Amino acid sequence: MLSPGLDMKIHFAPANVPLVRRIQTAVVLQWVFSFLALAPICIILFFFLLCYTRFWLISVLYAIWWYIDWDTPSRGGRKVPFLCQLRVWEYMRDYFPIKLVKTADLDPRKNYVLGFHPHGILVAGAFTNFCTEATGFSKLFPGLRSNLLMLPLWFRAPFFRDYIMCAGLVPSDKESASYLLRQKGGGNAVVIAVGGAPEALDAHPGDYTVHLANKKGFIKLAIEHGADLVPIYSFGENEVFDQVENPRGTWLRYIQERLQSIMGISLPLFHARGVFQYSFGLMPYRKPINTVVGRPIPVEKNMKPTPEELDVFHQRYMDELTRLFEEHKGNYGVPEDAHLLFQ
């Protein structure tokens, strides 16, 4: 017998939903599908064509291309501005909606390491703001080119690697980031979701946990290349999905962390709404995401930074991220008594 407070009714979307909202839902659906399922489908397709059809030559030719093109992801990728500017991404922006907020100018003659917080479940804010032009990144920061770092694992998937490179995604390893930051003339903005996959396990609504206390690799990267550090906080990133409760010390969290250490990807048990109903599914909620870009922290180039220098810049970065959060939280519905929790 169900408890009186448990509502098991399915709330279906009304039949008279405006067409523009249906298009927004369709665009976000394809994005969620691409994020969750397209890579394994591409792998299966590659081997299916190779082993079970008369179109095996497609896989053979692609394998040759793959070999020739192997290093491209770590050498700046292959961003296609035309695809990033398609109107389809404006529908994704308006679904939530997502907004990019500028607080300071960024000199296009310099290179930057942009730290994105929090990771959230599917980094919707990072993708929309820095892989597309839907929120006007190039207009807000003229002369800058953004590249979002993604787990190297995904660049080993045939066909899929080419798809994600079109959006400016590059592997989240030192070689790939260093290549971009070494380029003469400046204008490169490397965007790193600093908390990475482990932070996704803390992506609960109303949670402001940031995995940063022991993260110094991106600080060292910035110092070695003389790239200014820029903190970013994306308000609402953790609000667009619910996640099964997994506090530290529980068996679920233990299993998730073990799998993450083995596979390199985290497996948060998340849910939100569906396509035609609002009660359950893997579609994100229509809740606003406001991505606030902080002011740059000047960094002098030093190829061999000392531990003390790393600590100084790390603390300076944490202080600046805290200032950014505290200064803007009131604008985006964050309670006054809520503060960042560094892990």
Side-chain angles (χ1 to χ4, degrees), residues 277-332:
Q277 45 75 29
Y278 303 137
S279 301
F280 60 89
L282 299 181
M283 288 286 290
Y285 295 122
R286 286 180 177 266
K287 293 185 177 181
I289 296 174
N290 293 280
T291 304
V292 184
V293 181
R295 61 192 183 192
I297 301 170
V299 176
E300 292 294 328
K301 184 175 182 178
N302 181 358
M303 291 300 295
K304 294 183 178 180
T306 64
E308 293 75 20
E309 188 176 5
L310 287 175
D311 289 341
V312 167
F313 276 98
H314 183 255
Q315 187 61 52
R316 192 175 299 172
Y317 181 90
M318 291 177 68
D319 291 343
E320 187 62 26
L321 178 62
T322 300
R323 184 201 65 79
L324 181 71
F325 178 84
E326 294 294 334
E327 186 175 302
H328 293 274
K329 68 181 184 181
N331 299 330
Y332 305 115

Side-chain angles (χ1 to χ4, degrees), residues 7-314:
D7 183 7
M8 296 298 291
K9 289 178 63 178
I10 298 177
H11 300 279
F12 289 96
N16 60 345
V17 171
L19 177 60
V20 66
R21 288 176 67 87
R22 294 191 184 277
I23 297 174
Q24 292 167 3
T25 301
V27 171
V28 173
L29 175 63
Q30 70 81 27
W31 174 75
V32 171
F33 167 79
S34 297
F35 199 104
L36 298 179
L38 189 56
I41 288 175
C42 286
I43 295 171
I44 292 170
L45 177 63
F46 177 84
F47 287 106
F48 179 77
L49 291 174
L50 181 66
C51 301
Y52 299 105
T53 75
R54 59 181 178 178
F55 303 108
W56 55 269
L57 186 58
I58 294 176
S59 292
V60 171
L61 292 175
Y62 182 84
I64 295 172
W65 160 252
W66 194 1
Y67 176 79
I68 296 171
D69 196 55
W70 183 263
D71 291 328
T72 297
S74 59
R75 294 179 178 174
R78 192 165 39 241
K79 193 171 187 176
V80 182
F82 167 74
L83 295 179
C84 299
Q85 295 166 4
L86 289 176
R87 188 183 176 189
V88 67
W89 303 120
E90 296 178 13
Y91 288 109
M92 179 171 175
R93 174 200 66 196
D94 295 339
Y95 173 92
F96 294 91
I98 296 174
K99 184 179 181 181
L100 184 64
V101 180
K102 173 182 176 179
T103 64
D105 291 330
L106 298 182
D107 188 345
R109 294 171 296 180
K110 295 182 177 181
N111 290 325
Y112 297 91
V113 173
L114 277 58
F116 183 89
H117 314 270
H119 182 283
I121 298 291
L122 299 184
V123 285
F127 177 85
T128 306
N129 288 308
F130 305 113
C131 294
T132 81
E133 284 295 326
T135 56
F137 176 84
S138 294
K139 292 180 180 177
L140 290 173
F141 303 102
L144 288 188
R145 300 171 297 277
S146 60
N147 289 91
L148 178 63
L149 271 59
M150 189 177 187
L151 282 174
L153 168 71
W154 302 120
F155 294 88
R156 300 295 178 255
F159 307 122
F160 184 73
R161 66 187 289 276
D162 302 276
Y163 175 72
I164 58 178
M165 277 197 291
C166 290
L169 288 154
V170 296
S172 56
D173 53 37
K174 185 174 182 179
E175 180 185 1
S176 304
S178 294
Y179 178 90
L180 292 166
L181 296 174
R182 284 197 306 266
Q183 301 308 302
K184 303 294 184 181
N188 289 295
V190 173
V191 186
I192 304 175
V194 178
E199 194 173 76
L201 298 178
D202 286 318
H204 297 271
D207 191 297
Y208 304 102
T209 301
V210 173
H211 288 222
L212 183 59
N214 299 308
K215 300 279 188 176
K216 297 181 182 178
F218 76 107
I219 302 290
K220 184 178 181 182
L221 177 73
I223 296 174
E224 288 176 343
H225 294 89
D228 288 0
L229 288 158
V230 181
I232 298 171
Y233 195 86
S234 193
F235 293 91
E237 195 75 40
N238 285 347
E239 308 300 318
V240 296
F241 288 103
D242 291 318
Q243 183 177 175
V244 174
E245 291 298 322
N246 59 341
R248 286 175 174 78
T250 61
W251 65 269
L252 175 58
R253 186 58 172 257
Y254 173 77
I255 293 173
Q256 288 175 320
E257 290 177 343
R258 285 290 297 167
L259 290 174
Q260 191 275 322
S261 66
I262 295 170
M263 301 186 300
I265 59 175
S266 62
L267 298 173
L269 300 180
F270 67 93
H271 57 94
R273 51 159 289 184
V275 177
F276 302 111
Q277 45 75 29
Y278 303 137
S279 301
F280 60 89
L282 299 181
M283 288 286 290
Y285 295 122
R286 286 180 177 266
K287 293 185 177 181
I289 296 174
N290 293 280
T291 304
V292 184
V293 181
R295 61 192 183 192
I297 301 170
V299 176
E300 292 294 328
K301 184 175 182 178
N302 181 358
M303 291 300 295
K304 294 183 178 180
T306 64
E308 293 75 20
E309 188 176 5
L310 287 175
D311 289 341
V312 167
F313 276 98
H314 183 255

